[in-house]
Amino acid sequence: MRALRILLILVVILGGLFVIADRVAVHFAEGEAADKLKSTQNLASTPDVNIKGFPFLTQVAGGSLDDVEVGIKDYEAATGTAGKTIRIDDLKADMKGVSFSGNYSSATADSATGSATISYSELMKTAKSQPTEVAPGITARIVGLSDGGNGKIKVMIEGTIAALGIKHTVPVLSSVTVENDKVQVHADSLPRLGAAAIADSRIREITDFQQAVDQLPGGIKLDKVQAAANGVEITVKGSDVKLAG
């Protein structure tokens, strides 16, 4: 009995030491991975990396991690226009099946899903905020974007009749979708901007617009989008996502 008790105590001690060593190793690996991501993805700040699953050391021995979560506070995505970017807030991605090279210089995830937010103020940079003539003597522009409820964006359109000096602001509820790596905003119905006949196409030059969101980390792509209180919430996904190397 005494020998058995000693054996059990040793097992518990060794098990505890293994857990401690495993947690120390995963903490170190998370820091190294975060630094690597910052440099390879040209990030302004160090991302959060959370390697999930236990034990970590046996995953490392197998050359693949089951589940890695990455969080990037602010990410400047390309827009397809030279020198112009759009800020994406709170980008979170869950990477599954992350394999890495022997010296950890490269890492690729089998799949990734995630979410992020584009604020209305960022999206407003794409909208036509400068007056555009939609009919003789009548100009229009977008003066604000906000949550319209039920997944819609409320677009505030200001129409101006120059001869009368009249400015008229009308709200327009718009649907938001994703198409070809672009966030598309499309008015559900068109506003009335004065008594003059205005072609629908001229109005839609103001109400409808799109914003490309390109070159996301690791090659992930836009999947879905919906309007929310603080901006449009996007979901992203990808396969064979290159995290480093």
Side-chain angles (χ1 to χ4, degrees):
M1 289 296 294
R2 185 170 181 272
L4 179 60
R5 190 179 301 115
I6 292 172
L7 179 61
L8 289 174
I9 291 172
L10 287 174
V11 168
V12 170
I13 292 173
L14 290 174
L17 291 174
F18 175 78
V19 170
I20 292 172
D22 191 82
R23 294 301 88 191
V24 170
V26 76
H27 180 72
F28 175 79
E30 287 170 346
E32 290 293 303
D35 290 339
K36 189 73 173 178
L37 274 173
K38 181 182 179 182
S39 62
T40 58
Q41 300 296 330
N42 296 317
L43 304 178
S45 59
T46 304
D48 294 323
V49 175
N50 180 18
I51 300 174
K52 304 175 73 175
F54 178 83
F56 165 70
L57 292 174
T58 58
Q59 294 183 67
V60 170
S64 178
L65 302 176
D66 297 335
D67 193 350
V68 179
E69 289 184 348
V70 176
I72 301 174
K73 188 66 176 176
D74 300 307
Y75 183 79
E76 296 292 333
T79 63
T81 301
K84 290 187 178 181
T85 61
I86 185 167
R87 192 185 74 249
I88 297 178
D89 298 323
D90 298 321
L91 176 60
K92 296 181 176 66
D94 190 9
M95 314 286 183
K96 302 291 188 183
V98 180
S99 57
F100 49 87
S101 63
N103 60 359
Y104 307 107
S105 61
S106 65
T108 303
D110 291 339
S111 64
T113 56
S115 62
T117 300
I118 300 175
S119 69
Y120 288 119
S121 61
E122 281 294 300
L123 199 58
M124 183 68 186
K125 294 176 181 178
T126 306
K128 289 197 173 182
S129 57
Q130 295 299 316
T132 300
E133 187 174 66
V134 294
I138 299 177
T139 58
R141 65 187 184 117
I142 295 177
V143 293
L145 302 174
S146 61
D147 179 22
N150 297 319
K152 304 289 185 180
I153 292 179
K154 182 165 70 175
V155 182
M156 298 301 297
I157 309 292
E158 181 186 83
T160 302
I161 302 176
L164 302 177
I166 296 175
K167 289 184 179 181
H168 181 48
T169 304
V170 294
V172 178
L173 289 180
S174 299
S175 298
V176 56
T177 57
V178 168
E179 185 175 342
N180 298 325
D181 296 326
K182 295 180 176 68
V183 176
Q184 306 267 5
V185 179
H186 181 82
D188 294 348
S189 60
L190 296 177
R192 184 173 179 82
L193 300 174
I198 304 175
D200 286 358
S201 60
R202 293 294 292 164
I203 296 293
R204 287 205 177 275
E205 287 182 14
I206 307 300
T207 61
D208 298 2
F209 60 95
Q210 62 184 22
Q211 173 61 69
V213 180
D214 200 6
Q215 296 179 19
L216 294 173
I220 55 177
K221 300 289 186 180
L222 294 181
D223 183 27
K224 298 177 183 177
V225 62
Q226 71 172 17
N230 299 318
V232 292
E233 295 179 347
I234 62 174
T235 58
V236 297
K237 67 178 182 179
S239 57
D240 294 325
V241 177
K242 188 172 290 295
L243 302 176

PDB file of all heavy atoms in Angstrom, residues 15 25 30 40 64 68 86 96 98-99 108-110 130 139 147 169 172 184 203-204 226 232:
ATOM      1  N   GLY A  15       2.266  14.554 -13.477  1.00  0.00           N
ATOM      2  CA  GLY A  15       1.165  15.095 -14.266  1.00  0.00           C
ATOM      3  C   GLY A  15       1.063  16.596 -14.121  1.00  0.00           C
ATOM      4  O   GLY A  15       0.840  17.319 -15.097  1.00  0.00           O
ATOM      5  N   ALA A  25       4.729  26.311 -22.480  1.00  0.00           N
ATOM      6  CA  ALA A  25       5.075  26.169 -23.892  1.00  0.00           C
ATOM      7  C   ALA A  25       4.052  26.840 -24.792  1.00  0.00           C
ATOM      8  O   ALA A  25       4.409  27.520 -25.760  1.00  0.00           O
ATOM      9  CB  ALA A  25       5.200  24.681 -24.250  1.00  0.00           C
ATOM     10  N   GLU A  30       2.314  31.189 -28.419  1.00  0.00           N
ATOM     11  CA  GLU A  30       1.348  32.227 -28.780  1.00  0.00           C
ATOM     12  C   GLU A  30       2.049  33.565 -29.008  1.00  0.00           C
ATOM     13  O   GLU A  30       1.727  34.297 -29.954  1.00  0.00           O
ATOM     14  CB  GLU A  30       0.286  32.358 -27.686  1.00  0.00           C
ATOM     15  CG  GLU A  30      -0.697  31.208 -27.651  1.00  0.00           C
ATOM     16  CD  GLU A  30      -1.596  31.220 -26.433  1.00  0.00           C
ATOM     17  OE1 GLU A  30      -1.292  31.958 -25.464  1.00  0.00           O
ATOM     18  OE2 GLU A  30      -2.599  30.478 -26.422  1.00  0.00           O
ATOM     19  N   THR A  40       4.652  39.330 -40.893  1.00  0.00           N
ATOM     20  CA  THR A  40       4.309  38.801 -42.213  1.00  0.00           C
ATOM     21  C   THR A  40       3.068  39.457 -42.810  1.00  0.00           C
ATOM     22  O   THR A  40       2.946  39.571 -44.032  1.00  0.00           O
ATOM     23  CB  THR A  40       4.086  37.281 -42.157  1.00  0.00           C
ATOM     24  OG1 THR A  40       3.044  36.977 -41.221  1.00  0.00           O
ATOM     25  CG2 THR A  40       5.358  36.561 -41.763  1.00  0.00           C
ATOM     26  N   SER A  64       0.816  19.710 -36.217  1.00  0.00           N
ATOM     27  CA  SER A  64      -0.427  20.389 -36.579  1.00  0.00           C
ATOM     28  C   SER A  64      -1.188  20.781 -35.318  1.00  0.00           C
ATOM     29  O   SER A  64      -1.230  20.014 -34.345  1.00  0.00           O
ATOM     30  CB  SER A  64      -1.303  19.482 -37.444  1.00  0.00           C
ATOM     31  OG  SER A  64      -2.525  20.104 -37.762  1.00  0.00           O
ATOM     32  N   VAL A  68      -6.747  27.440 -33.715  1.00  0.00           N
ATOM     33  CA  VAL A  68      -6.023  28.657 -33.334  1.00  0.00           C
ATOM     34  C   VAL A  68      -6.923  29.857 -33.592  1.00  0.00           C
ATOM     35  O   VAL A  68      -7.427  30.035 -34.703  1.00  0.00           O
ATOM     36  CB  VAL A  68      -4.704  28.813 -34.125  1.00  0.00           C
ATOM     37  CG1 VAL A  68      -3.993  30.101 -33.722  1.00  0.00           C
ATOM     38  CG2 VAL A  68      -3.800  27.613 -33.912  1.00  0.00           C
ATOM     39  N   ILE A  86      -9.322  50.803 -46.110  1.00  0.00           N
ATOM     40  CA  ILE A  86     -10.499  50.926 -45.260  1.00  0.00           C
ATOM     41  C   ILE A  86     -10.220  50.164 -43.971  1.00  0.00           C
ATOM     42  O   ILE A  86      -9.685  49.043 -44.000  1.00  0.00           O
ATOM     43  CB  ILE A  86     -11.771  50.387 -45.961  1.00  0.00           C
ATOM     44  CG1 ILE A  86     -13.007  50.639 -45.090  1.00  0.00           C
ATOM     45  CG2 ILE A  86     -11.648  48.922 -46.335  1.00  0.00           C
ATOM     46  CD1 ILE A  86     -14.316  50.425 -45.826  1.00  0.00           C
ATOM     47  N   LYS A  96      -8.679  26.346 -38.292  1.00  0.00           N
ATOM     48  CA  LYS A  96      -8.735  24.917 -37.992  1.00  0.00           C
ATOM     49  C   LYS A  96      -7.641  24.185 -38.769  1.00  0.00           C
ATOM     50  O   LYS A  96      -7.378  24.460 -39.936  1.00  0.00           O
ATOM     51  CB  LYS A  96     -10.095  24.347 -38.400  1.00  0.00           C
ATOM     52  CG  LYS A  96     -11.290  25.008 -37.722  1.00  0.00           C
ATOM     53  CD  LYS A  96     -11.354  24.699 -36.253  1.00  0.00           C
ATOM     54  CE  LYS A  96     -12.667  25.210 -35.649  1.00  0.00           C
ATOM     55  NZ  LYS A  96     -12.730  24.979 -34.193  1.00  0.00           N
ATOM     56  N   VAL A  98      -4.119  23.787 -38.309  1.00  0.00           N
ATOM     57  CA  VAL A  98      -2.968  24.627 -38.656  1.00  0.00           C
ATOM     58  C   VAL A  98      -1.698  23.769 -38.679  1.00  0.00           C
ATOM     59  O   VAL A  98      -1.224  23.313 -37.639  1.00  0.00           O
ATOM     60  CB  VAL A  98      -2.812  25.792 -37.659  1.00  0.00           C
ATOM     61  CG1 VAL A  98      -1.610  26.646 -38.041  1.00  0.00           C
ATOM     62  CG2 VAL A  98      -4.078  26.629 -37.611  1.00  0.00           C
ATOM     63  N   SER A  99      -1.168  23.546 -39.854  1.00  0.00           N
ATOM     64  CA  SER A  99       0.089  22.804 -39.988  1.00  0.00           C
ATOM     65  C   SER A  99       1.243  23.782 -40.137  1.00  0.00           C
ATOM     66  O   SER A  99       1.068  24.880 -40.670  1.00  0.00           O
ATOM     67  CB  SER A  99       0.030  21.867 -41.198  1.00  0.00           C
ATOM     68  OG  SER A  99      -0.249  22.587 -42.382  1.00  0.00           O
ATOM     69  N   THR A 108       0.028  27.116 -42.234  1.00  0.00           N
ATOM     70  CA  THR A 108      -1.145  27.183 -43.095  1.00  0.00           C
ATOM     71  C   THR A 108      -2.311  26.490 -42.417  1.00  0.00           C
ATOM     72  O   THR A 108      -2.156  25.383 -41.878  1.00  0.00           O
ATOM     73  CB  THR A 108      -0.880  26.512 -44.461  1.00  0.00           C
ATOM     74  OG1 THR A 108       0.249  27.133 -45.085  1.00  0.00           O
ATOM     75  CG2 THR A 108      -2.089  26.646 -45.372  1.00  0.00           C
ATOM     76  N   ALA A 109      -3.485  27.140 -42.441  1.00  0.00           N
ATOM     77  CA  ALA A 109      -4.691  26.577 -41.849  1.00  0.00           C
ATOM     78  C   ALA A 109      -5.548  25.934 -42.936  1.00  0.00           C
ATOM     79  O   ALA A 109      -5.700  26.480 -44.023  1.00  0.00           O
ATOM     80  CB  ALA A 109      -5.493  27.661 -41.139  1.00  0.00           C
ATOM     81  N   ASP A 110      -6.101  24.753 -42.635  1.00  0.00           N
ATOM     82  CA  ASP A 110      -6.987  24.086 -43.588  1.00  0.00           C
ATOM     83  C   ASP A 110      -8.203  24.961 -43.899  1.00  0.00           C
ATOM     84  O   ASP A 110      -8.619  25.069 -45.056  1.00  0.00           O
ATOM     85  CB  ASP A 110      -7.467  22.744 -43.028  1.00  0.00           C
ATOM     86  CG  ASP A 110      -6.356  21.716 -42.947  1.00  0.00           C
ATOM     87  OD1 ASP A 110      -5.347  21.876 -43.664  1.00  0.00           O
ATOM     88  OD2 ASP A 110      -6.484  20.758 -42.156  1.00  0.00           O
ATOM     89  N   GLN A 130     -19.879  64.444 -51.894  1.00  0.00           N
ATOM     90  CA  GLN A 130     -19.780  65.692 -52.635  1.00  0.00           C
ATOM     91  C   GLN A 130     -21.030  65.852 -53.508  1.00  0.00           C
ATOM     92  O   GLN A 130     -21.517  64.876 -54.086  1.00  0.00           O
ATOM     93  CB  GLN A 130     -18.536  65.697 -53.520  1.00  0.00           C
ATOM     94  CG  GLN A 130     -17.229  65.657 -52.759  1.00  0.00           C
ATOM     95  CD  GLN A 130     -17.061  66.854 -51.841  1.00  0.00           C
ATOM     96  OE1 GLN A 130     -17.338  67.987 -52.221  1.00  0.00           O
ATOM     97  NE2 GLN A 130     -16.606  66.592 -50.615  1.00  0.00           N
ATOM     98  N   THR A 139     -28.993  69.055 -57.067  1.00  0.00           N
ATOM     99  CA  THR A 139     -27.852  68.223 -56.698  1.00  0.00           C
ATOM    100  C   THR A 139     -28.237  67.345 -55.511  1.00  0.00           C
ATOM    101  O   THR A 139     -29.192  67.625 -54.784  1.00  0.00           O
ATOM    102  CB  THR A 139     -26.628  69.086 -56.319  1.00  0.00           C
ATOM    103  OG1 THR A 139     -26.977  69.949 -55.230  1.00  0.00           O
ATOM    104  CG2 THR A 139     -26.164  69.919 -57.503  1.00  0.00           C
ATOM    105  N   ASP A 147     -27.654  52.755 -38.658  1.00  0.00           N
ATOM    106  CA  ASP A 147     -28.430  51.524 -38.590  1.00  0.00           C
ATOM    107  C   ASP A 147     -29.899  51.828 -38.851  1.00  0.00           C
ATOM    108  O   ASP A 147     -30.508  52.648 -38.166  1.00  0.00           O
ATOM    109  CB  ASP A 147     -28.251  50.900 -37.202  1.00  0.00           C
ATOM    110  CG  ASP A 147     -29.035  49.611 -37.028  1.00  0.00           C
ATOM    111  OD1 ASP A 147     -29.367  48.981 -38.050  1.00  0.00           O
ATOM    112  OD2 ASP A 147     -29.308  49.246 -35.870  1.00  0.00           O
ATOM    113  N   THR A 169     -33.634  66.900 -46.826  1.00  0.00           N
ATOM    114  CA  THR A 169     -32.961  65.659 -46.440  1.00  0.00           C
ATOM    115  C   THR A 169     -33.984  64.547 -46.262  1.00  0.00           C
ATOM    116  O   THR A 169     -34.982  64.727 -45.559  1.00  0.00           O
ATOM    117  CB  THR A 169     -32.163  65.841 -45.133  1.00  0.00           C
ATOM    118  OG1 THR A 169     -31.238  66.919 -45.294  1.00  0.00           O
ATOM    119  CG2 THR A 169     -31.401  64.573 -44.780  1.00  0.00           C
ATOM    120  N   VAL A 172     -33.270  56.983 -46.613  1.00  0.00           N
ATOM    121  CA  VAL A 172     -33.508  55.886 -47.548  1.00  0.00           C
ATOM    122  C   VAL A 172     -33.010  54.596 -46.895  1.00  0.00           C
ATOM    123  O   VAL A 172     -31.863  54.522 -46.452  1.00  0.00           O
ATOM    124  CB  VAL A 172     -32.750  56.114 -48.879  1.00  0.00           C
ATOM    125  CG1 VAL A 172     -32.965  54.931 -49.818  1.00  0.00           C
ATOM    126  CG2 VAL A 172     -33.202  57.406 -49.537  1.00  0.00           C
ATOM    127  N   GLN A 184     -21.827  45.868 -51.032  1.00  0.00           N
ATOM    128  CA  GLN A 184     -22.741  46.573 -51.927  1.00  0.00           C
ATOM    129  C   GLN A 184     -23.896  47.173 -51.118  1.00  0.00           C
ATOM    130  O   GLN A 184     -24.525  46.482 -50.318  1.00  0.00           O
ATOM    131  CB  GLN A 184     -23.324  45.609 -52.964  1.00  0.00           C
ATOM    132  CG  GLN A 184     -22.290  44.822 -53.756  1.00  0.00           C
ATOM    133  CD  GLN A 184     -21.921  45.496 -55.062  1.00  0.00           C
ATOM    134  OE1 GLN A 184     -22.364  46.605 -55.350  1.00  0.00           O
ATOM    135  NE2 GLN A 184     -21.118  44.824 -55.864  1.00  0.00           N
ATOM    136  N   ILE A 203     -30.503  58.963 -59.775  1.00  0.00           N
ATOM    137  CA  ILE A 203     -30.641  58.896 -58.318  1.00  0.00           C
ATOM    138  C   ILE A 203     -29.776  57.777 -57.753  1.00  0.00           C
ATOM    139  O   ILE A 203     -29.108  57.939 -56.724  1.00  0.00           O
ATOM    140  CB  ILE A 203     -32.118  58.683 -57.923  1.00  0.00           C
ATOM    141  CG1 ILE A 203     -32.970  59.884 -58.343  1.00  0.00           C
ATOM    142  CG2 ILE A 203     -32.237  58.462 -56.413  1.00  0.00           C
ATOM    143  CD1 ILE A 203     -32.645  61.148 -57.598  1.00  0.00           C
ATOM    144  N   ARG A 204     -29.772  56.650 -58.446  1.00  0.00           N
ATOM    145  CA  ARG A 204     -28.997  55.508 -57.937  1.00  0.00           C
ATOM    146  C   ARG A 204     -27.489  55.760 -58.001  1.00  0.00           C
ATOM    147  O   ARG A 204     -26.717  55.088 -57.303  1.00  0.00           O
ATOM    148  CB  ARG A 204     -29.361  54.232 -58.698  1.00  0.00           C
ATOM    149  CG  ARG A 204     -30.737  53.702 -58.307  1.00  0.00           C
ATOM    150  CD  ARG A 204     -30.883  52.211 -58.535  1.00  0.00           C
ATOM    151  NE  ARG A 204     -32.183  51.745 -58.080  1.00  0.00           N
ATOM    152  CZ  ARG A 204     -32.470  51.402 -56.831  1.00  0.00           C
ATOM    153  NH1 ARG A 204     -31.510  51.448 -55.906  1.00  0.00           N
ATOM    154  NH2 ARG A 204     -33.672  50.998 -56.501  1.00  0.00           N
ATOM    155  N   GLN A 226     -24.123  42.264 -42.804  1.00  0.00           N
ATOM    156  CA  GLN A 226     -25.424  42.796 -42.409  1.00  0.00           C
ATOM    157  C   GLN A 226     -25.228  44.064 -41.587  1.00  0.00           C
ATOM    158  O   GLN A 226     -24.195  44.242 -40.927  1.00  0.00           O
ATOM    159  CB  GLN A 226     -26.243  41.776 -41.628  1.00  0.00           C
ATOM    160  CG  GLN A 226     -25.736  41.478 -40.228  1.00  0.00           C
ATOM    161  CD  GLN A 226     -26.700  40.599 -39.446  1.00  0.00           C
ATOM    162  OE1 GLN A 226     -27.575  39.952 -40.017  1.00  0.00           O
ATOM    163  NE2 GLN A 226     -26.541  40.563 -38.142  1.00  0.00           N
ATOM    164  N   VAL A 232     -21.428  47.899 -40.320  1.00  0.00           N
ATOM    165  CA  VAL A 232     -21.806  46.652 -40.972  1.00  0.00           C
ATOM    166  C   VAL A 232     -20.923  45.531 -40.428  1.00  0.00           C
ATOM    167  O   VAL A 232     -19.701  45.666 -40.332  1.00  0.00           O
ATOM    168  CB  VAL A 232     -21.689  46.752 -42.505  1.00  0.00           C
ATOM    169  CG1 VAL A 232     -22.732  47.702 -43.055  1.00  0.00           C
ATOM    170  CG2 VAL A 232     -20.307  47.188 -42.956  1.00  0.00           C
TER     171      VAL A 232
END
